[in-house]
Amino acid sequence: MATAAILTIGNELVSGDVVDTNGAWLATRLERLGVKMNIVASIPDEIEQIARFLRREAADVDFVLVTGGLGGTPDDLTREAVATAFSVGQESVPELADSLRSRFTRDPDYAARWAELPVGARALENPLGGAPGFVIENVYVFPGLPSEMQAMFEKVEDEFRAPVPIASWRRRYRTRESEIVSVLVEAGERFPGVLVGSYPSFEGEAEVEVVAKSHDGDLLEQASSWLQAELDRVTA
């Protein structure tokens, strides 16, 4: 089973000034492609801290996906941090720099700095913006702006696609976890190849969303049929 780590970069994320939607969006899309998440984390704009995370996680997972820090302001340090993580320098990619200069004629030299990628990196086109993403070994780097990140990811999502996707089943019940916990425990024992989770909410009437996930479609069908029958019985 392919695995991934997601890193979202930005002081604004760690401080809570901006909500991290990129991590959740990427995790959802990757799971649909059959990739299991090992970790989703946010880190401030600090080169050494980013580099340490990348060294550690890139060695343990199949893919690391990074968002943020690709602009041209002083706190946009992701290119430098990734280069540091892989112990390489940075170099301007001439054809990429020329393309950026021609597109951003009001300040061409500012835009051309976005082409200074880690040595050995493969550039990723930014369909909706300026700063390109890039790939180096198993690390994929995307912009932080959600619309640009999503458009860029969709250009390369087949590179993450696993032979067997992760399928899911989910239902909501007007109940409390304490009333269905025995069913959830038994489901885990009966179907060890299925991940079963429960997510309560208390807005008005108490509800629990029950979710089951597995790479094995037949096993998931068996588990979800059993779960639905048992949950309907105990919540009736």
Side-chain angles (χ1 to χ4, degrees):
M1 181 189 303
T3 57
I6 296 172
L7 174 63
T8 59
I9 296 173
N11 296 332
E12 70 279 10
L13 300 176
V14 177
S15 67
D17 289 336
V18 173
V19 175
D20 174 23
T21 59
N22 286 346
W25 189 91
L26 284 170
T28 300
R29 291 297 292 263
L30 287 167
E31 186 172 82
R32 291 176 188 169
L33 295 169
V35 181
K36 177 180 177 292
M37 295 304 102
N38 275 21
I39 185 172
V40 179
S42 296
I43 283 181
D45 298 290
E46 296 180 6
I47 290 174
E48 288 302 326
Q49 194 169 346
I50 296 167
R52 283 197 303 271
F53 180 95
L54 294 178
R55 291 190 196 105
R56 181 179 70 247
E57 298 303 326
D60 288 341
V61 297
D62 296 290
F63 307 108
V64 179
L65 289 84
V66 179
T67 74
L70 294 181
T73 56
D75 61 346
D76 289 319
L77 302 170
T78 299
R79 283 179 290 268
E80 186 176 352
V82 175
T84 298
F86 285 94
S87 300
V88 298
Q90 290 176 257
E91 63 181 0
S92 179
V93 181
E95 61 274 17
L96 183 57
D98 291 343
S99 173
L100 289 167
R101 286 191 181 96
S102 66
R103 290 171 57 200
F104 297 92
T105 54
R106 292 182 62 180
D107 198 343
D109 290 336
Y110 176 87
R113 289 190 298 225
W114 299 334
E116 295 177 0
L117 304 183
V119 173
R122 165 170 60 103
L124 298 177
E125 177 190 358
N126 188 334
L128 298 183
F134 59 91
V135 184
I136 180 168
E137 295 190 17
N138 64 338
V139 175
Y140 287 70
V141 182
F142 302 94
L145 190 65
S147 59
E148 294 184 14
M149 180 277 293
Q150 293 171 17
M152 188 180 294
F153 176 86
E154 288 169 355
K155 290 275 189 179
V156 296
E157 67 177 330
D158 282 341
E159 297 183 24
F160 305 103
R161 193 179 302 278
V164 181
I166 299 173
S168 65
W169 170 92
R170 60 185 68 225
R171 293 288 188 281
R172 298 189 70 88
Y173 294 89
R174 291 183 177 177
T175 187
R176 297 178 182 275
E177 284 183 307
S178 59
E179 297 173 359
I180 62 172
V181 64
S182 60
V183 176
L184 303 179
V185 170
E186 188 174 349
E189 295 170 347
R190 282 175 173 263
F191 308 101
V194 177
L195 180 65
V196 179
S198 60
Y199 310 105
S201 61
F202 301 95
E203 296 180 6
E205 199 168 0
E207 285 191 338
V208 179
E209 183 179 37
V210 178
V211 180
K213 299 180 180 181
S214 179
H215 276 283
D216 187 328
D218 292 337
L219 182 62
L220 179 64
E221 185 174 353
Q222 295 173 34
S224 60
S225 295
W226 183 89
L227 269 168
Q228 185 165 338
E230 288 299 302
L231 289 168
D232 287 345
R233 179 181 62 80
V234 300
T235 60

